[in-house]
Amino acid sequence: EVQLVQSGPEVKKPGESLKISCKSSGYSFTSYFIGWVRQMPGKGLEWMGIIYPGDSRIRYSPSFQGQVTISADKSISTVYLQWSSLKASDTAMYYCARRGCSATTCYIDTWGQGTLVTVSS
Amino acid sequence: SFVLTQPPSVSVAPGQTARITCGGNIIGSKSVYWYQQKPGQVPVLVTYYDGDRPSGIPDRFSGSTSGNTATLTISWVEAGDEADYYCQVWDSSTDHLFGGGTKLTVL
C-alpha cells in the first residue's frame, strides 16, 4: 500500500525555523514526484512545489519561490519542507502529495495526512 | 497565468442533482480532476481523466468537460456528500493548478 506519513503538528514563533517531513512507503521512492500543498485556515488548496527524488529536480510555484525549501533524503524515503524564518501568515495545514502521471497528464494519487503548522507569538 | 474559477457555494436538496463548475481557458486542452474534502479530512480524488472514477467512488459522481468549462455532477445527492470540492488541471508549465473550491451544502 502506498503511504505518505507526515510529521506531527508544530507550534512556532515568528522568526523561528522549521522543517517538516513526509515519509514514503509502498512504492519506489525515486520514481515519483512528491509535492507540497498549503491550505490556510478556511481556505483552498495551493500548490507550493515539487521534487523528483530520483535526481533531486525541484520546481517551486512562483508564489512560494524563495519562501520555502523542498528537499529529499533517498536513504530514508523522505521529503522535507522547510522555512528559515516563519511568519504568522505561514500558519496552515501542509500536505505532501504524490504525483501520478499517464502519458499526457498528471494528478495527485496519494496524499499525506497533513501537518498543521501554527506560527504565533 | 492560468486561473480556474469555481462558484464559492452550491446548495441542493437530498436526492437532487448537484452540478459544480470549473471554468478557465486552460481547461479545453487538459484533463480535469476533482477532489472532495470533508471537514478535517484529507482531499480525496473523486474523478479523473475528465470523468473516470477511482475504485470506491460511487457512480453518482461524474465529470465532464465542454469548451472551457468542466462540471462535476453528483446525482442523488446524500447528506454525506456535503464537502468542499476542488477542480485541478496539470500543465507542464504551471504544474498542478487548483480551483478556489466550492462548498456543497445539502439542505
mmCIF file of all heavy atoms in Angstrom, chain B residues 31-51:
data_model
loop_
_atom_site.group_PDB
_atom_site.id
_atom_site.type_symbol
_atom_site.label_atom_id
_atom_site.label_comp_id
_atom_site.label_asym_id
_atom_site.label_seq_id
_atom_site.Cartn_x
_atom_site.Cartn_y
_atom_site.Cartn_z
ATOM 1 N N SER B 31 -6.865 17.499 -19.119
ATOM 2 C CA SER B 31 -7.703 16.638 -18.288
ATOM 3 C C SER B 31 -7.980 17.338 -16.962
ATOM 4 O O SER B 31 -7.101 18.000 -16.408
ATOM 5 C CB SER B 31 -7.004 15.308 -18.021
ATOM 6 O OG SER B 31 -6.947 14.518 -19.180
ATOM 7 N N VAL B 32 -9.199 17.219 -16.493
ATOM 8 C CA VAL B 32 -9.612 17.879 -15.248
ATOM 9 C C VAL B 32 -9.846 16.816 -14.192
ATOM 10 O O VAL B 32 -10.443 15.757 -14.453
ATOM 11 C CB VAL B 32 -10.895 18.706 -15.463
ATOM 12 C CG1 VAL B 32 -11.323 19.370 -14.144
ATOM 13 C CG2 VAL B 32 -10.664 19.754 -16.536
ATOM 14 N N TYR B 33 -9.387 17.105 -12.989
ATOM 15 C CA TYR B 33 -9.541 16.203 -11.851
ATOM 16 C C TYR B 33 -10.361 16.909 -10.779
ATOM 17 O O TYR B 33 -10.284 18.125 -10.610
ATOM 18 C CB TYR B 33 -8.162 15.820 -11.298
ATOM 19 C CG TYR B 33 -7.271 15.246 -12.361
ATOM 20 C CD1 TYR B 33 -6.443 16.064 -13.108
ATOM 21 C CD2 TYR B 33 -7.304 13.884 -12.645
ATOM 22 C CE1 TYR B 33 -5.644 15.544 -14.119
ATOM 23 C CE2 TYR B 33 -6.510 13.358 -13.648
ATOM 24 C CZ TYR B 33 -5.689 14.191 -14.380
ATOM 25 O OH TYR B 33 -4.908 13.670 -15.386
ATOM 26 N N TRP B 34 -11.146 16.138 -10.060
ATOM 27 C CA TRP B 34 -11.962 16.674 -8.982
ATOM 28 C C TRP B 34 -11.630 15.966 -7.674
ATOM 29 O O TRP B 34 -11.539 14.736 -7.623
ATOM 30 C CB TRP B 34 -13.448 16.499 -9.286
ATOM 31 C CG TRP B 34 -13.953 17.393 -10.381
ATOM 32 C CD1 TRP B 34 -14.029 17.096 -11.718
ATOM 33 C CD2 TRP B 34 -14.451 18.728 -10.224
ATOM 34 N NE1 TRP B 34 -14.545 18.175 -12.401
ATOM 35 C CE2 TRP B 34 -14.823 19.180 -11.522
ATOM 36 C CE3 TRP B 34 -14.647 19.582 -9.141
ATOM 37 C CZ2 TRP B 34 -15.354 20.454 -11.743
ATOM 38 C CZ3 TRP B 34 -15.173 20.835 -9.368
ATOM 39 C CH2 TRP B 34 -15.522 21.264 -10.649
ATOM 40 N N TYR B 35 -11.471 16.784 -6.616
ATOM 41 C CA TYR B 35 -11.189 16.263 -5.283
ATOM 42 C C TYR B 35 -12.296 16.682 -4.342
ATOM 43 O O TYR B 35 -12.811 17.803 -4.418
ATOM 44 C CB TYR B 35 -9.850 16.800 -4.758
ATOM 45 C CG TYR B 35 -8.664 16.432 -5.614
ATOM 46 C CD1 TYR B 35 -8.283 17.251 -6.671
ATOM 47 C CD2 TYR B 35 -7.936 15.271 -5.380
ATOM 48 C CE1 TYR B 35 -7.198 16.922 -7.472
ATOM 49 C CE2 TYR B 35 -6.854 14.933 -6.176
ATOM 50 C CZ TYR B 35 -6.492 15.765 -7.218
ATOM 51 O OH TYR B 35 -5.421 15.434 -8.015
ATOM 52 N N GLN B 36 -12.629 15.783 -3.436
ATOM 53 C CA GLN B 36 -13.600 16.052 -2.372
ATOM 54 C C GLN B 36 -12.839 16.183 -1.057
ATOM 55 O O GLN B 36 -11.993 15.340 -0.761
ATOM 56 C CB GLN B 36 -14.594 14.892 -2.279
ATOM 57 C CG GLN B 36 -15.595 14.993 -1.138
ATOM 58 C CD GLN B 36 -16.293 13.655 -0.895
ATOM 59 O OE1 GLN B 36 -15.662 12.685 -0.466
ATOM 60 N NE2 GLN B 36 -17.580 13.595 -1.173
ATOM 61 N N GLN B 37 -13.143 17.220 -0.299
ATOM 62 C CA GLN B 37 -12.523 17.360 1.017
ATOM 63 C C GLN B 37 -13.599 17.642 2.060
ATOM 64 O O GLN B 37 -14.212 18.706 2.062
ATOM 65 C CB GLN B 37 -11.477 18.479 1.026
ATOM 66 C CG GLN B 37 -10.689 18.537 2.338
ATOM 67 C CD GLN B 37 -9.674 19.646 2.375
ATOM 68 O OE1 GLN B 37 -9.869 20.718 1.806
ATOM 69 N NE2 GLN B 37 -8.556 19.415 3.067
ATOM 70 N N LYS B 38 -13.799 16.680 2.925
ATOM 71 C CA LYS B 38 -14.731 16.869 4.026
ATOM 72 C C LYS B 38 -13.998 17.561 5.187
ATOM 73 O O LYS B 38 -12.762 17.491 5.262
ATOM 74 C CB LYS B 38 -15.307 15.528 4.465
ATOM 75 C CG LYS B 38 -16.156 14.888 3.369
ATOM 76 C CD LYS B 38 -16.768 13.580 3.802
ATOM 77 C CE LYS B 38 -17.636 13.005 2.683
ATOM 78 N NZ LYS B 38 -18.255 11.708 3.045
ATOM 79 N N PRO B 39 -14.737 18.236 6.061
ATOM 80 C CA PRO B 39 -14.096 18.998 7.152
ATOM 81 C C PRO B 39 -13.131 18.151 7.962
ATOM 82 O O PRO B 39 -13.473 17.047 8.404
ATOM 83 C CB PRO B 39 -15.296 19.453 7.981
ATOM 84 C CG PRO B 39 -16.429 19.527 7.015
ATOM 85 C CD PRO B 39 -16.206 18.397 6.060
ATOM 86 N N GLY B 40 -11.920 18.666 8.115
ATOM 87 C CA GLY B 40 -10.920 17.982 8.921
ATOM 88 C C GLY B 40 -10.286 16.775 8.262
ATOM 89 O O GLY B 40 -9.544 16.037 8.914
ATOM 90 N N GLN B 41 -10.586 16.566 6.983
ATOM 91 C CA GLN B 41 -10.061 15.385 6.311
ATOM 92 C C GLN B 41 -9.157 15.751 5.136
ATOM 93 O O GLN B 41 -9.117 16.887 4.680
ATOM 94 C CB GLN B 41 -11.213 14.498 5.831
ATOM 95 C CG GLN B 41 -12.066 13.941 6.958
ATOM 96 C CD GLN B 41 -13.082 12.915 6.465
ATOM 97 O OE1 GLN B 41 -12.952 12.332 5.390
ATOM 98 N NE2 GLN B 41 -14.106 12.693 7.279
ATOM 99 N N VAL B 42 -8.441 14.738 4.666
ATOM 100 C CA VAL B 42 -7.551 14.883 3.526
ATOM 101 C C VAL B 42 -8.373 14.871 2.226
ATOM 102 O O VAL B 42 -9.376 14.169 2.146
ATOM 103 C CB VAL B 42 -6.535 13.723 3.517
ATOM 104 C CG1 VAL B 42 -5.623 13.796 2.294
ATOM 105 C CG2 VAL B 42 -5.717 13.725 4.795
ATOM 106 N N PRO B 43 -7.971 15.639 1.230
ATOM 107 C CA PRO B 43 -8.695 15.576 -0.053
ATOM 108 C C PRO B 43 -8.681 14.165 -0.635
ATOM 109 O O PRO B 43 -7.711 13.418 -0.478
ATOM 110 C CB PRO B 43 -7.915 16.548 -0.946
ATOM 111 C CG PRO B 43 -7.269 17.499 0.009
ATOM 112 C CD PRO B 43 -6.929 16.674 1.209
ATOM 113 N N VAL B 44 -9.754 13.840 -1.323
ATOM 114 C CA VAL B 44 -9.902 12.532 -1.954
ATOM 115 C C VAL B 44 -10.251 12.747 -3.427
ATOM 116 O O VAL B 44 -11.151 13.521 -3.747
ATOM 117 C CB VAL B 44 -11.018 11.715 -1.269
ATOM 118 C CG1 VAL B 44 -11.301 10.429 -2.050
ATOM 119 C CG2 VAL B 44 -10.659 11.405 0.175
ATOM 120 N N LEU B 45 -9.554 12.058 -4.302
ATOM 121 C CA LEU B 45 -9.844 12.150 -5.732
ATOM 122 C C LEU B 45 -11.167 11.468 -6.023
ATOM 123 O O LEU B 45 -11.360 10.298 -5.646
ATOM 124 C CB LEU B 45 -8.725 11.472 -6.516
ATOM 125 C CG LEU B 45 -8.781 11.528 -8.037
ATOM 126 C CD1 LEU B 45 -8.574 12.949 -8.541
ATOM 127 C CD2 LEU B 45 -7.743 10.588 -8.639
ATOM 128 N N VAL B 46 -12.095 12.152 -6.686
ATOM 129 C CA VAL B 46 -13.387 11.544 -6.998
ATOM 130 C C VAL B 46 -13.586 11.307 -8.488
ATOM 131 O O VAL B 46 -14.328 10.391 -8.875
ATOM 132 C CB VAL B 46 -14.578 12.353 -6.429
ATOM 133 C CG1 VAL B 46 -14.583 12.288 -4.915
ATOM 134 C CG2 VAL B 46 -14.576 13.794 -6.902
ATOM 135 N N THR B 47 -12.978 12.123 -9.339
ATOM 136 C CA THR B 47 -12.987 11.817 -10.773
ATOM 137 C C THR B 47 -11.653 12.233 -11.367
ATOM 138 O O THR B 47 -11.008 13.165 -10.888
ATOM 139 C CB THR B 47 -14.113 12.515 -11.561
ATOM 140 O OG1 THR B 47 -13.819 13.913 -11.686
ATOM 141 C CG2 THR B 47 -15.471 12.336 -10.928
ATOM 142 N N TYR B 48 -11.247 11.528 -12.419
ATOM 143 C CA TYR B 48 -10.001 11.852 -13.089
ATOM 144 C C TYR B 48 -10.152 11.559 -14.576
ATOM 145 O O TYR B 48 -11.111 10.917 -15.006
ATOM 146 C CB TYR B 48 -8.818 11.095 -12.499
ATOM 147 C CG TYR B 48 -8.878 9.582 -12.653
ATOM 148 C CD1 TYR B 48 -8.086 8.927 -13.582
ATOM 149 C CD2 TYR B 48 -9.704 8.810 -11.841
ATOM 150 C CE1 TYR B 48 -8.122 7.552 -13.711
ATOM 151 C CE2 TYR B 48 -9.746 7.439 -11.966
ATOM 152 C CZ TYR B 48 -8.954 6.810 -12.896
ATOM 153 O OH TYR B 48 -8.989 5.445 -13.022
ATOM 154 N N TYR B 49 -9.181 12.073 -15.340
ATOM 155 C CA TYR B 49 -9.225 11.954 -16.800
ATOM 156 C C TYR B 49 -10.598 12.402 -17.329
ATOM 157 O O TYR B 49 -11.167 11.778 -18.205
ATOM 158 C CB TYR B 49 -8.950 10.533 -17.258
ATOM 159 C CG TYR B 49 -7.566 10.027 -16.932
ATOM 160 C CD1 TYR B 49 -7.314 8.655 -16.935
ATOM 161 C CD2 TYR B 49 -6.519 10.864 -16.616
ATOM 162 C CE1 TYR B 49 -6.059 8.167 -16.646
ATOM 163 C CE2 TYR B 49 -5.264 10.390 -16.310
ATOM 164 C CZ TYR B 49 -5.042 9.032 -16.328
ATOM 165 O OH TYR B 49 -3.804 8.542 -16.032
ATOM 166 N N ASP B 50 -11.098 13.457 -16.746
ATOM 167 C CA ASP B 50 -12.339 14.079 -17.184
ATOM 168 C C ASP B 50 -13.606 13.313 -16.829
ATOM 169 O O ASP B 50 -14.701 13.746 -17.178
ATOM 170 C CB ASP B 50 -12.344 14.347 -18.697
ATOM 171 C CG ASP B 50 -11.297 15.365 -19.107
ATOM 172 O OD1 ASP B 50 -10.950 16.202 -18.258
ATOM 173 O OD2 ASP B 50 -10.835 15.303 -20.248
ATOM 174 N N GLY B 51 -13.500 12.181 -16.179
ATOM 175 C CA GLY B 51 -14.753 11.530 -15.820
ATOM 176 C C GLY B 51 -14.629 10.151 -15.235
ATOM 177 O O GLY B 51 -15.582 9.638 -14.658
#
